[in-house]
Amino acid sequence: MPKMRTEELWVGACMEAALPGIKVVQHDDGSRSSMHDLDLVRDGVVFAACEVTAAADAESIELWNLVNGSEERWIEQDLLGGWLITVTTRCRVKFLKAELPALLRVVENEPTDPWRQSAIERIKALGVVAADRGDTAFPGSIYVTLERDAERAGGVVPNSGHGLVTWLDEWIREPTQEHNLEKLRTALPVERHLFVLLPGFTTAPFRASDLLMRADAPLPDAAPRLPQGITDVWLMSTWSTGDVFHYGGSGWSRSGKVFKVTSD
């Protein structure tokens, strides 16, 4: 049997904390295709099926891991640095790492350097939208971050939970979620729960993601339009702050995140 994924273990611990007396166990053992991820057990009886998914910007996450996945700091000894480099998701990491240091060396030279403007144009062509040099405790360091869509990166702090519901109603019906919904529709338990994680690079707008990152965020006051066959939805950001939001038969509720997770 394959081991439970890290995010499934975390989800299970949070659900057990929110629903005292239940046990969350692995259901998808790889024995057949299209099995839902988890079972919820009470008094030895499976009463609910759960599928874990994420509202994730896959391109941004992949690029971030490629650029920043190493534990070693990116330092070029002959740069004055540090440089904060903002790139688009279209950036090709291979070319960025190969060409950027030499181009930054040219930019750091006197403004009269005849190659300076050409270097700047090439930096832009690599997918860099901003390059800022500032003070750092690590001279020669290059820090890479990703350009974020304005709607996702920030906005007016919501004073109600309405934005979370309106986003969820649309997102849960996107074609990318159909396979998760179908797994739950064919599950035997009467209760069918979809657990949605919102990572740092999420496709959700700020009006939705902020509510899951803030300790004092209000719960929604309206029911989501869950697809047929889905009884419950859970939402949680992967940040250390914020609460777990759960919508079920009795409406919306919140619970704290659990960070000490153990596997059997």
Side-chain angles (χ1 to χ4, degrees), residues 73-84:
R73 190 183 301 273
W74 186 2
I75 292 181
E76 300 291 336
Q77 297 296 340
D78 54 348
L79 279 178
L80 299 178
W83 283 92
L84 176 62

Side-chain angles (χ1 to χ4, degrees), residues 20-261:
I22 76 157
K23 181 70 174 176
V24 179
V25 299
Q26 182 178 15
H27 175 79
D28 186 358
D29 59 3
S31 60
R32 64 181 188 276
S33 62
S34 300
M35 298 177 70
H36 61 267
D37 293 322
L38 307 171
D39 282 332
L40 277 62
V41 182
R42 182 185 292 119
D43 298 329
V45 178
V46 175
F47 71 93
C50 178
E51 181 70 9
V52 181
T53 186
D57 183 344
E59 286 187 347
S60 294
I61 292 173
E62 181 180 11
L63 180 60
W64 177 263
N65 289 336
L66 286 172
V67 176
N68 300 292
S70 172
E71 295 182 359
E72 297 182 2
R73 190 183 301 273
W74 186 2
I75 292 181
E76 300 291 336
Q77 297 296 340
D78 54 348
L79 279 178
L80 299 178
W83 283 92
L84 176 62
I85 306 297
T86 305
V87 301
T88 71
T89 55
R90 297 184 299 277
C91 173
R92 300 288 296 275
V93 175
K94 177 181 177 180
F95 296 118
L96 183 77
K97 290 197 168 184
E99 299 184 38
L100 185 63
L103 295 169
L104 292 178
R105 292 183 191 105
V106 175
V107 173
E108 285 185 341
N109 288 338
E110 294 296 324
T112 56
D113 189 319
W115 295 104
R116 192 173 191 273
Q117 188 57 41
S118 294
I120 291 173
E121 293 302 318
R122 179 55 188 162
I123 289 173
K124 292 179 180 178
L126 290 173
V128 175
V129 293
D132 301 293
R133 192 178 76 183
D135 296 333
T136 178
F138 302 94
S141 56
I142 300 175
Y143 306 90
V144 180
T145 188
L146 301 184
E147 181 184 39
R148 301 294 306 280
D149 184 285
E151 186 186 27
R152 300 178 190 175
V156 177
V157 175
N159 56 16
S160 78
H162 180 70
L164 183 63
V165 174
T166 56
W167 165 76
L168 177 65
D169 285 347
E170 295 181 3
W171 176 85
I172 202 170
R173 288 171 172 77
E174 291 181 357
T176 53
Q177 289 309 307
E178 182 57 31
H179 70 292
N180 291 317
L181 299 178
E182 186 60 25
K183 288 180 187 180
L184 291 175
R185 291 190 189 105
T186 57
L188 294 178
V190 174
E191 290 189 26
R192 295 158 184 158
H193 298 225
L194 185 69
F195 201 113
V196 184
L197 294 168
L198 274 67
F201 293 111
T202 179
T203 56
F206 180 79
R207 70 178 188 275
S209 61
D210 176 72
L211 294 164
L212 300 175
M213 295 187 291
R214 252 196 303 141
D216 61 346
L219 282 171
D221 55 9
R225 295 185 296 107
L226 296 182
Q228 184 177 6
I230 310 304
T231 62
D232 293 65
V233 65
W234 301 69
L235 299 116
M236 179 175 72
S237 82
T238 59
W239 295 94
S240 60
T241 54
D243 292 326
V244 183
F245 284 18
H246 172 215
Y247 178 81
S250 57
W252 285 99
S253 61
R254 72 194 316 146
S255 56
K257 296 176 182 176
V258 175
F259 294 102
K260 187 177 181 180
V261 180

